[in-house]
Amino acid sequence: MKNDYEPVIGLEVHIQLKTNTKAFCSCTTEFGTSPNMNTCPVCLGHPGALPTLNKNVVEFAIKMGLATGCKIRPYSIFSRKNYFYPDLPKGYQISQYEDPICFEGVIEVDLPEGKKHIGITRIHMEEDAGKSIHDVDIDTLVDLNRSGVPLLEIVSEPDIRSAQEAYQYLMQIRQIVMYLGVCDGNLEEGSLRCDANISVRKKGAEKFGTRTEVKNLNSFRNVERAIGYEIERQVALLESGGTVIQQTMLWDASVHETKPMRTKEKAHDYRYFPEPDLVGVSVSKEWISRVHQTLPELPLARKQRFINELGLPKYDAGILVDEQSLGDYFELAVSHLSVKNNESYKLVSNWVMTEVLRILSERKITAAEFELPANFIAEIVDLLASESISSKIAKEIFPEVLANKVSPKEIVGKRGLAQISDSNMIETLVKSILDQNSENVDKYRAGKTNLFGFFVSQVLKQTEGKANPKIVTEVLKRELQN
Ligand code: ADP
Ligand code: MG
Ligand code: ZN
């Protein structure tokens, strides 16, 4: 039944901009200060207080627009979107309506089945509302610290076809805004929020079905769950002869269901009109090209480069580019390698993805805050790649490298940890071990081949783990066959 239908999804994503001050006043945007401390007559909505646009809001909008291939409008205006809400003291939100600053862009997402382009209808600037707090005391309290914090609203085309795709799209937006430095990407603090528009249509049908809009999605996982739920609900409804009504729903995370909130508001309900207290926003070609020059390599392009140029598996590349400073750390380590080839790049990747990431997550820091010089990772990999040390020794010395910031090469030199790769020496040792264990040698030759590990461990024991395991295995095989 469900297989006869195709979901159609469009997302409206709000990202909170990482400016120091609010969109239309000089109050700080700092999160977590005592309620209502970051306020002034402008963001409290006092009559007669006049807004002044923060230039960085426009700069960030242009940045995001360029990063998503949007056209940038040379001149756009702000509008008032009127509605009543306890956390909206002015009775309207300053937003953009007809002519948003950015339009007609695209975001590329990397799906298991390949790359897909999701169209961006528009990106506009607006201000956030305050926050109603329901869980203190018996009253509802209002905190206006967030009132006037700048947002970008990114509206997608109805190009998304599954809950999983929606999730990937959001992850991609999060990576992009963090790479651009326009948003801190902090999901717990609500720095990225999303409303989902969902409809279903019979497969092969041209016309879209009637959509519902789900709000209150406070995590990306909830977006995915809510979309999944809503698809099932709409299909079941249609199959039982019902019709979907266009309405706004709320996701109830405690019971994993969407619930109707109100019939869908229409644009005219908001009585949009041009904001009379602000002048229009002019963006010159020079400004655009200046911002263009500051754009970093974007995460997906970087991922592709790691795959194409460094031969990394897709999985590794995805993890390394997810957070910008981790990718930077990896690249810095790679740049310090003595031997540059795909094998050593993969070894660096292994070390960053296991040892480095483990420490970062234990300490809850990013690679930018990690004090271990990346060239020490390169040294370890050089030692491994040249078979100067075994991976066992590498793991053993790492805590000391980390604790004392000593060069791995120095530790290996001082403590005589270099791997023994001299096959004559290993052969002599192997022969003497086989002599000492003639009973086991007989058993081995009689078919008890799982004794092989025993011989290997004897060699490693006598060399304190320094014998090159590859050579040990070769020599042992040869000698045991004789
Ligand atoms: P509104 O003004 O009500 O928010 P928009 O036309 O701006 O409506 O669209 C909002 C979002 O809904 C966009 O992301 C768009 O892609 C999506 N959308 C529009 N029509 C449909 C549909 N039939 N099914 C699913 N999503 C849709
Ligand atoms: Mg909308
Ligand atoms: Zn203020």
Side-chain angles (χ1 to χ4, degrees):
M1 171 173 96
K2 197 184 147 191
N3 289 335
D4 298 340
Y5 288 88
E6 179 185 52
V8 172
I9 301 151
L11 298 182
E12 294 164 88
V13 179
H14 289 93
I15 62 165
Q16 206 175 84
L17 295 181
K18 214 167 80 174
T19 51
N20 295 325
T21 56
K22 294 187 180 180
F24 304 111
C25 62
S26 55
C27 292
T28 174
T29 55
E30 200 184 326
F31 184 84
T33 13
S34 306
N36 299 309
M37 289 301 288
N38 309 341
T39 53
C40 72
V42 173
C43 55
L44 288 173
H46 288 188
L50 291 173
T52 320
L53 176 59
N54 178 344
K55 194 174 174 187
N56 278 332
V57 174
V58 184
E59 174 106 5
F60 285 5
I62 299 172
K63 229 180 205 181
M64 188 61 191
L66 291 176
T68 53
C70 282
K71 295 174 185 154
I72 312 292
R73 208 178 293 278
Y75 180 80
S76 64
I77 60 161
F78 283 100
S79 289
R80 288 190 182 179
K81 180 179 182 181
N82 299 282
Y83 62 96
F84 170 80
Y85 221 72
D87 56 24
L88 187 75
K90 291 201 298 286
Y92 60 85
Q93 178 191 23
I94 303 179
S95 183
Q96 292 196 292
Y97 182 49
E98 282 108 341
D99 296 319
I101 182 160
C102 313
F103 59 105
E104 289 175 15
V106 65
I107 288 181
E108 194 179 32
V109 288
D110 206 358
L111 302 170
E113 63 270 24
K115 295 211 167 61
K116 176 169 176 174
H117 288 130
I118 312 281
I120 300 299
T121 316
R122 57 185 284 160
I123 300 177
H124 70 249
M125 303 176 280
E126 61 183 28
E127 59 174 339
D128 210 345
K131 215 153 97 184
S132 296
I133 301 165
H134 304 289
D135 49 6
V136 191
D137 273 346
I138 48 163
D139 300 315
T140 289
L141 303 172
V142 174
D143 176 8
L144 294 172
N145 280 348
R146 217 178 58 183
S147 168
V149 166
L151 304 175
L152 289 182
E153 177 171 334
I154 305 163
V155 181
S156 86
E157 289 288 301
D159 287 346
I160 301 167
R161 291 290 172 270
S162 72
Q164 295 71 34
E165 255 180 67
Y167 181 82
Q168 291 303 326
Y169 169 80
L170 288 170
M171 291 304 282
Q172 194 52 49
I173 289 196
R174 179 166 183 268
Q175 283 184 1
I176 293 172
V177 297
M178 289 178 74
Y179 267 65
L180 296 177
V182 302
C183 170
D184 64 19
N186 195 325
L187 300 173
E188 290 88 55
E189 293 174 9
S191 298
L192 279 106
R193 282 164 271 155
C194 167
D195 300 335
N197 295 269
I198 304 141
S199 65
V200 297
R201 63 177 168 188
K202 271 273 169 70
K203 277 201 179 137
E206 272 218 21
K207 217 169 149 265
F208 287 151
T210 305
R211 71 180 145 129
T212 58
E213 179 172 0
V214 185
K215 291 190 179 281
N216 200 26
L217 298 167
N218 59 358
S219 77
F220 288 3
R221 280 298 166 205
N222 277 337
V223 175
E224 195 179 2
R225 288 192 194 107
I227 292 173
Y229 178 89
E230 196 52 23
I231 293 168
E232 303 261 341
R233 187 189 71 83
Q234 291 183 13
V235 170
L237 186 62
L238 293 174
E239 280 295 305
S240 66
T243 45
V244 175
I245 349 174
Q246 184 166 354
Q247 59 185 352
T248 304
M249 322 269 294
L250 272 191
W251 172 247
D252 185 340
S254 59
V255 291
H256 286 194
E257 283 176 12
T258 57
K259 292 180 175 158
M261 178 165 89
R262 56 172 186 246
T263 56
K264 174 91 180 103
E265 70 287 347
K266 298 239 165 55
H268 64 246
D269 295 333
Y270 290 119
R271 296 284 186 269
Y272 280 99
F273 65 85
E275 167 60 63
D277 290 341
L278 286 165
V279 295
V281 180
S282 294
V283 181
S284 66
K285 284 210 175 87
E286 291 70 39
W287 194 0
I288 295 174
S289 69
R290 203 160 2 101
V291 174
H292 201 96
Q293 282 161 16
T294 68
L295 287 187
E297 180 184 31
L298 293 174
L300 210 54
R302 190 182 210 187
K303 179 177 174 186
Q304 206 52 56
R305 179 166 61 81
F306 284 3
I307 296 169
N308 296 347
E309 291 178 15
L310 306 180
L312 288 188
K314 197 173 166 180
Y315 174 80
D316 292 43
I319 289 183
L320 293 173
V321 307
D322 183 48
E323 197 273 309
Q324 196 172 23
S325 71
L326 188 72
D328 293 346
Y329 191 85
F330 166 77
E331 292 209 67
L332 192 58
V334 162
S335 73
H336 279 102
L337 286 172
S338 306
V339 180
K340 292 187 164 61
N341 57 35
N342 287 4
E343 283 73 45
S344 56
Y345 303 147
K346 174 62 178 136
L347 282 172
V348 175
S349 165
N350 290 348
W351 273 76
V352 172
M353 291 200 310
T354 53
E355 303 300 318
V356 174
L357 263 188
R358 180 176 51 74
I359 298 162
L360 298 183
S361 77
E362 274 168 17
R363 298 192 198 162
K364 298 190 171 58
I365 57 171
T366 65
E369 301 156 280
F370 190 38
E371 78 289 358
L372 186 74
N375 58 310
F376 284 178
I377 300 291
E379 277 190 25
I380 291 178
V381 169
D382 278 337
L383 290 164
L384 283 169
S386 60
E387 299 193 352
S388 306
I389 57 170
S390 63
S391 57
K392 186 164 168 282
I393 296 284
K395 292 247 153 75
E396 268 171 34
I397 62 167
F398 189 61
E400 190 183 331
V401 175
L402 187 65
N404 304 328
K405 315 281 164 307
V406 210
S407 136
K409 281 188 178 147
E410 214 177 294
I411 298 178
V412 169
K414 265 201 196 132
R415 303 217 326 239
L417 294 172
Q419 178 159 269
I420 302 163
S421 295
D422 177 344
S423 37
N424 288 333
M425 192 175 151
I426 290 175
E427 193 176 309
T428 315
L429 186 64
V430 163
K431 278 182 175 155
S432 92
I433 283 169
L434 295 186
D435 282 347
Q436 287 155 29
N437 295 280
S438 53
E439 242 172 76
N440 278 338
V441 173
D442 291 341
K443 283 187 195 159
Y444 177 89
R445 287 181 175 144
K448 233 181 148 221
T449 49
N450 57 0
L451 277 168
F452 194 78
F454 162 79
F455 297 120
V456 174
S457 71
Q458 290 301 305
V459 182
L460 290 178
K461 200 162 136 194
Q462 294 217 10
T463 56
E464 293 168 313
K466 290 183 288 187
N468 181 330
K470 220 159 63 192
I471 301 177
V472 172
T473 306
E474 268 168 34
V475 175
L476 262 175
K477 275 200 179 134
R478 195 170 64 225
E479 292 301 319
L480 282 165
Q481 260 164 19
N482 290 339

